[in-house]
Amino acid sequence: MSLLQSLTRRKPAERIAAEGGHGEGGELRRTMGLLQLTLFSVGATLGTGIFFVLGEAVPVAGPAAVLGFVLAAVTALFSALSYAELAGTIPVSGSSYSYAYATMGELVAWVCGWCLLLEYAVSVSAVASSWGGYLNSFLESAFGSQLPAAVSASPGSEGGMVNLPAVLIVFLVTLLLLRGASESATANTIMVFLKVAVLAFFCVIAFTAFRTGNLAGFAPMGAAGIAAAGSKVFFSYIGFDAASTAGEEAKNPRRDLPLAILLSLAIVTAIYVVVGLAAVGALAWREFDSETSLADVLNAATGGSTWPALVLSFGVVISMGTVVLTVLYGQTRILFAMSRDGLVPRVFQRVSRRTSVPVANTVIVSTFVALLAAVVPLGQLAEATSIGTLFAFALVNIGVIVLRRTSPDLERGFRVPLFPLTPVLGVLFCVGLMAGLDGITWVVFLIWTAFGLAVYFAYGRRHSALGRTASTAKEVS
């Protein structure tokens, strides 16, 4: 097999689906229903962004920042529809990595999987790293005291030495994940309901101070302002694809995965729009700046009362817990799929017969994430997760087009409407957003990709299960 042939070899979608659930020494257990899958995606998407993103969106769009959430949702919808089709066609844990393997070949799949490592592992480390700061805010509001900066902030922050709260949140989530997928999903469901309840509390309080005059001059910056706001809030939608990483633990994946992806996007959009409307109705848009949070809106709405901000800070702490749980889960399942294909070491696909959990995989990933969050200033690497995510989204949209042409008769639990216009628009929106990112973000992304290619040629290509199958077939012939 030539170099080009080895790099472009594709793993048949039927074979990928047939291997679903199988690991070394055991199998993943199908325990998740539609509600759990939907809330997995909601938990990964509805993070701390909504608590703070209005401070960036409102100054550039005025009250019309609410429409910025709608615009961002429409942008995300194109990719969500493509995810829904591929998740219902290839319902496995690998998410966009597996979809790329079936449609564009091994090298593209590897690059996609490597980008997912950036999206999942680094982003969850960044979330865990910042959890200490929000925990301190809650402790200050509730008890008037904080943890010392030396043990609650990462190096690079003022006074920071080691971030012990980051280690704590990762440790607690790891204990949940090791108990089993069903138990993890149940805990996530409870935390998501708590998070939504806190946001509902915010809306109730904010709407008591609602002034229709605050909506006057609804779009002072016009369409350009709405577009700018949409770009700023788009990254608050990243995470709707989390359900696709649970493809091998879903009870009815072909039906439930597409529904979970689309329902989670609809739920999150509705929450964002209502919260945004309540905020701009309670506080004049000219009073917003980049530091304004929902807690500031509540302070203004209640005349400086502190207890509503205490409830809100509790919601932020819970929000970050669900993000750490769902994203860490997704990372382990993607590595599980890559290990089964031979592209990463076999240890990541070993499954406990007792708990049906990839134990070693979970412990290794959690330890890496905890150490990264505790002692490494993430800086631009964390910001580069956005470009890695958009790259994966673009590949999923392309994958839908390719798979429709190469395997038109495959069973599909969902079909993208207005094909091929929808996935083409999805690609264009992703490329457009990528083009608007900072130059330093591109530099970090390219360095990360180059490092990933070095790892692939040093290990992945030589150990590829698909490559070994081809070599065996050649020897037999």
Side-chain angles (χ1 to χ4, degrees):
M1 181 178 291
S2 69
L3 175 62
L4 179 60
Q5 287 175 320
S6 69
L7 298 181
T8 57
R9 57 194 172 207
R10 293 182 295 176
K11 187 174 182 180
E14 297 90 341
R15 176 175 169 181
I16 295 176
E19 290 178 355
H22 300 294
E24 184 178 300
E27 296 186 1
L28 302 180
R29 190 181 302 153
R30 295 193 179 276
T31 58
M32 294 193 201
L34 178 59
L35 176 64
Q36 292 169 311
L37 291 169
T38 301
L39 294 185
F40 241 74
S41 285
V42 172
T45 309
L46 193 61
T48 57
I50 186 56
F51 291 92
F52 302 96
V53 76
L54 285 170
E56 298 181 9
V58 174
V60 301
V66 174
L67 297 183
F69 282 111
V70 177
L71 177 61
V74 172
T75 303
L77 179 61
F78 293 115
S79 294
L81 290 169
S82 292
Y83 261 101
E85 175 164 330
L86 291 182
T89 307
I90 312 173
V92 293
S93 295
S95 186
S96 51
Y97 155 77
S98 294
Y99 310 153
Y101 213 160
T103 56
M104 285 167 277
E106 185 170 288
L107 181 62
V108 175
W110 169 265
V111 174
C112 183
W114 192 252
C115 287
L116 291 175
L117 292 181
L118 181 66
E119 174 191 351
Y120 281 75
V122 177
S123 65
V124 75
S125 297
V127 171
S129 179
S130 58
W131 189 70
Y134 297 118
L135 178 63
N136 266 340
S137 296
F138 173 73
L139 293 175
E140 177 67 30
S141 300
F143 307 107
S145 61
Q146 297 184 352
L147 297 173
V151 295
S152 63
S154 300
S157 303
E158 185 176 350
M161 294 181 62
V162 60
N163 195 327
L164 294 183
V167 177
L168 174 63
I169 185 64
V170 174
F171 174 73
L172 293 175
V173 165
T174 302
L175 292 180
L176 270 174
L177 292 174
L178 291 176
R179 288 180 60 84
S182 178
E183 291 81 357
S184 300
T186 299
N188 176 69
T189 298
I190 294 170
M191 288 191 289
V192 168
F193 277 122
L194 283 173
K195 179 163 47 176
V196 172
V198 168
L199 289 171
F201 165 81
F202 166 82
C203 291
V204 170
I205 300 297
F207 275 123
T208 62
F210 192 91
R211 301 291 182 268
T212 55
N214 287 341
L215 302 183
F218 186 70
M221 286 77 168
I226 295 173
S231 296
K232 290 183 178 296
V233 305
F234 174 79
F235 299 106
S236 297
Y237 284 90
I238 290 176
F240 65 78
D241 58 318
S244 65
T245 64
E248 296 175 32
E249 288 158 290
K251 295 177 182 177
N252 190 349
R254 293 191 186 279
R255 183 199 69 182
D256 290 347
L257 289 180
L259 282 173
I261 291 169
L262 297 177
L263 280 173
S264 65
L265 183 59
I267 291 169
V268 168
T269 301
I271 292 173
Y272 284 172
V273 169
V274 174
V275 169
L277 183 61
V280 296
L283 184 65
W285 74 268
R286 289 182 180 83
E287 297 183 36
F288 281 81
D289 58 38
S290 61
E291 302 297 323
T292 302
S293 66
L294 295 189
D296 296 320
V297 176
L298 280 188
N299 286 335
T302 59
S305 179
T306 58
W307 69 269
L310 172 62
V311 174
L312 208 64
S313 62
F314 172 74
V316 174
V317 172
I318 294 297
S319 293
M320 301 184 81
T322 63
V323 174
V324 173
L325 173 64
T326 53
V327 177
L328 197 59
Y329 167 89
Q331 177 65 90
T332 62
R333 274 30 178 199
I334 291 168
L335 281 170
F336 175 82
M338 295 177 74
S339 176
R340 191 167 53 201
D341 293 333
L343 301 185
V344 298
R346 293 174 59 181
V347 65
F348 290 100
Q349 65 164 313
R350 292 175 186 162
V351 177
S352 166
R353 291 188 181 276
R354 184 176 64 85
T355 61
S356 298
V357 169
V359 174
N361 181 342
T362 303
V363 171
I364 292 170
V365 171
S366 299
T367 301
F368 173 78
V369 166
L371 291 174
L372 194 65
V375 299
V376 178
L378 297 175
Q380 291 294 332
L381 186 60
E383 293 180 16
T385 60
S386 299
I387 196 170
T389 303
L390 288 169
F391 181 76
F393 284 5
L395 290 182
V396 169
N397 284 291
I398 295 171
V400 168
I401 298 172
V402 173
L403 200 61
R404 284 280 190 103
R405 292 181 62 85
T406 58
S407 303
D409 298 326
L410 275 178
E411 180 185 354
R412 288 170 168 82
F414 174 83
R415 286 179 176 269
V416 169
L418 301 177
F419 178 87
L421 178 62
T422 299
V424 168
L425 288 174
V427 173
L428 293 177
F429 273 111
C430 289
V431 171
L433 288 171
M434 290 171 69
L437 294 173
D438 293 338
I440 186 63
T441 302
W442 274 95
V443 171
V444 173
F445 174 68
L446 292 175
I447 293 173
W448 177 263
T449 303
F451 179 52
L453 290 174
V455 174
Y456 171 72
F457 284 104
Y459 183 91
R461 181 170 176 266
R462 292 165 46 209
H463 293 83
S464 167
L466 198 59
R468 289 199 300 270
T469 300
S471 298
T472 302
K474 183 178 180 179
E475 292 171 4
V476 171
S477 62

